[in-house]
């Protein structure tokens, strides 16, 4: 089986992290975002993953070469010379996706994190005999999204309503699809939206079906949702009683600590924290609802909450970092500095407090 991951463009919403790495390589729960998806695909028997990309393909491929061998899965790139939306890339990668066997292929949006019930999706796709299956997820505020109106008993999609003013349903497209190769005949290699142009046509032929996603779902393409996504991901590890979660007197709630990280005496860590490889957390540090990426040093008695600390950064003694502060790669926050929602570009030293949310160039 094959799969296409829509990697797309510059990852502007996750800057300054994406100034150092393409977005799919930004760490989420201690591994690159895209690896969560590739591992889930490999687990259900996908043998080749095609990355649809228009930005830094060499960086992506060099990085993923290691994982190709480790996971035993073929990873290739299909490079766009111009942005082709969410459907155009399928037409561009047609030769890679359609091998003449008629077997369906997966398409995933690279920002989506979930439990990836792909095995169940294959069974669902076979059972309805349509041309395409999409995952949908229930949301509390459907008016912010495009809503999928479907027949509850069969899952057949009737229509899509973009940001409805009145309630028509609470299920939205979750960015995970299983498609028959015949769908490629509907798409031209030009900028096209699969959600707005291709799926409505398939729905009007009664060949589009939706499966409600069990478990959690989050689009982690921007910082606030990244932090929420981490909480949901760690919750799901807890439900599965995962041995990956840390435990001990200094841990509160769900915490992920890489085996190579060092944690000092008298720290209080959690809930909803990920500490990456090679990190050093000195004594008396308080961490909650945050991600501390590879090679970070958090000095004594610092306090970090609701923030993302980029690779190889330092947070000084008694510093306080909170309220969606995002530190890019190699940022150094000096001792006793306070950051309230500062977004700091890579390779900076912060000597004065950031009192209100702002971008530090």
């Amino acid at each position: 089986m094959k799969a296409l991951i829509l990697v797309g463009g510059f990852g502007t919403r996750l800057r300054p992290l994406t100034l150092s790495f393409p977005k799919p390589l930004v760490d989420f729960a201690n591994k690159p975002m895209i690896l969560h998806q590739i591992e889930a695909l490999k687990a259900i028997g996908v043998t080749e993953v095609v990355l649809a990309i228009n930005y830094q393909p060499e960086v992506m491929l060099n990085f993923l070469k290691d994982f190709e061998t480790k996971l035993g899965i073929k990873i290739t790139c299909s490079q766009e010379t111009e942005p082709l939306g969410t459907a155009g890339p399928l037409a561009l990668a047609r030769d890679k996706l359609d091998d003449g066997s008629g077997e369906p292929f997966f398409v995933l949006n690279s920002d989506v994190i979930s439990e990836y019930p792909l095995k169940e999706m294959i069974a669902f796709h076979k059972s309805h005999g349509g041309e395409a299956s999409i995952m949908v997820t229930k949301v509390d505020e459907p008016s912010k999204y495009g809503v999928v109106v479907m027949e509850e008993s069969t899952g057949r999609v009737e229509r899509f309503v973009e940001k409805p003013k009145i309630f028509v349903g609470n299920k939205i497209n979750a960015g995970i699809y299983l498609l028959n190769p015949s769908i490629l005949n509907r798409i031209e290699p030009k900028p096209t939206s699969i959600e707005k142009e291709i799926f409505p046509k398939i729905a009007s032929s009664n060949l589009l079906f939706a499966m409600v996603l069990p478990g959690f779902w989050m689009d982690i393409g921007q910082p606030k949702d990244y932090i929420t996504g981490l909480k949901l991901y760690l919750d799901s590890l807890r439900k599965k009683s995962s041995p990956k979660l840390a435990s001990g007197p200094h841990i509160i709630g769900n915490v992920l600590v890489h085996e190579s990280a060092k944690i000092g005496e008298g720290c209080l860590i959690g809930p909803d924290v990920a500490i990456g490889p090679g990190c050093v957390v000195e004594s008396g540090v308080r961490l909650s609802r945050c991600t501390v990426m590879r090679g970070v040093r958090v000095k004594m008695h610092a306090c970090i909450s609701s923030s993302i600390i980029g690779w190889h950064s330092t947070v000084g003694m008694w510093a306080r970092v909170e309220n969606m502060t995002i530190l890019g790669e190699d940022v150094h926050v000096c001792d006793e500095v306070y950051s309230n929602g500062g977004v700091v570009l890579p390779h900076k030293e912060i000597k004065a407090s950031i009192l209100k949310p702002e971008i530090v160039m």
Side-chain angles (χ1 to χ4, degrees):
M1 252 189 125
K2 300 190 175 183
L4 178 97
I5 300 179
L6 294 164
V7 173
F10 302 111
T12 47
R13 296 179 305 160
L14 262 189
R15 281 182 184 161
L17 300 169
T18 49
L19 295 172
S20 300
F21 291 93
K23 183 170 58 178
L25 300 186
V26 170
D27 296 312
F28 176 80
N30 290 352
K31 63 181 163 195
M33 283 185 196
I34 200 162
L35 214 52
H36 290 272
Q37 299 183 327
I38 294 174
E39 286 176 355
L41 289 164
K42 165 70 182 167
I44 54 115
V46 168
T47 51
E48 183 176 352
V49 175
V50 181
L51 307 177
I53 189 166
N54 60 24
Y55 175 60
Q56 293 185 322
E58 26 329 291
V59 181
M60 288 282 290
L61 277 180
N62 290 343
F63 183 88
L64 292 167
K65 275 285 165 268
D66 297 349
F67 291 103
E68 255 196 332
T69 0
K70 260 184 218 161
L71 296 171
I73 188 168
K74 187 177 173 192
I75 302 172
T76 56
C77 265
S78 170
Q79 191 184 356
E80 306 163 29
T81 46
E82 57 165 344
L84 292 174
T86 48
L90 277 69
L92 192 65
R94 181 176 190 136
D95 298 347
K96 294 182 194 292
L97 296 172
D98 185 4
D99 56 8
S101 67
E103 193 176 39
F105 57 87
F106 281 102
V107 175
L108 282 81
N109 187 331
S110 70
D111 294 354
V112 166
I113 196 89
S114 76
E115 285 172 21
Y116 307 116
L118 305 177
K119 203 171 157 194
E120 294 82 340
M121 196 174 189
I122 294 171
F124 172 74
H125 186 74
K126 283 179 178 157
S127 71
H128 65 63
E131 190 172 18
S133 300
I134 66 173
M135 280 282 188
V136 293
T137 184
K138 292 179 182 171
V139 289
D140 296 335
E141 287 184 66
S143 60
K144 294 196 318 203
Y145 303 93
V147 172
V148 180
V149 181
M150 57 191 266
E151 202 174 67
E152 290 301 322
S153 55
T154 60
R156 185 177 64 76
V157 175
E158 293 168 6
R159 59 197 167 102
F160 295 84
V161 184
E162 195 57 39
K163 297 185 177 161
K165 296 279 182 287
I166 53 165
F167 185 85
V168 291
N170 65 346
K171 297 179 189 73
I172 65 162
N173 178 347
I176 302 171
Y177 320 130
L178 185 54
L179 313 173
N180 287 351
S182 58
I183 198 174
L184 297 168
N185 300 328
R186 296 178 181 264
I187 307 169
E188 290 176 47
K190 62 178 192 189
T192 317
S193 161
I194 199 164
E195 301 84 0
K196 296 190 173 108
E197 298 173 61
I198 308 301
F199 285 158
K201 282 182 191 159
I202 302 173
S204 66
S205 317
N206 294 330
L207 291 171
L208 182 66
F209 291 79
M211 171 183 158
V212 180
L213 181 80
F216 79 100
W217 176 88
M218 200 74 213
D219 175 330
I220 54 172
Q222 50 192 353
K224 179 170 64 47
D225 298 334
Y226 177 106
I227 296 284
T228 305
L230 182 65
K231 175 189 175 4
L232 297 172
Y233 175 81
L234 295 175
D235 282 349
S236 86
L237 288 185
R238 173 67 66 199
K239 285 192 188 104
K240 296 178 198 153
S241 310
S242 169
K244 291 180 189 166
L245 290 172
S247 57
H250 60 300
I251 300 285
I252 307 171
N254 301 331
V255 174
L256 211 52
V257 180
H258 191 271
E259 62 217 17
S260 63
K262 294 185 172 63
I263 293 178
E265 295 290 306
C267 291
L268 199 53
I269 294 173
D272 308 322
V273 173
I275 299 173
C279 289
V280 177
V281 178
E282 295 182 4
S283 57
V285 164
R286 177 75 181 103
L287 302 177
S288 64
R289 294 183 308 285
C290 64
T291 285
V292 180
M293 292 184 182
R294 185 180 61 248
V296 165
R297 179 177 283 268
V298 184
K299 295 189 176 173
M300 291 194 298
H301 307 295
C303 175
I304 303 173
S305 69
S306 301
S307 296
I308 303 173
I309 311 300
W311 310 270
H312 306 290
S313 292
T314 311
V315 176
M317 285 194 288
W318 296 101
R320 187 178 181 98
V321 172
E322 61 186 27
N323 189 24
M324 279 307 139
T325 290
I326 316 292
L327 304 185
E329 180 184 18
D330 179 43
V331 168
H332 302 283
V333 175
C334 294
D335 295 352
E336 299 179 33
V337 162
Y338 170 58
S339 171
N340 171 21
V343 173
V344 186
L345 272 67
H347 316 299
K348 290 243 155 306
E349 186 175 33
I350 302 297
K351 293 177 177 168
S353 290
I354 302 167
L355 300 176
K356 60 179 198 305
E358 63 176 302
I359 295 171
V360 179
M361 303 292 275

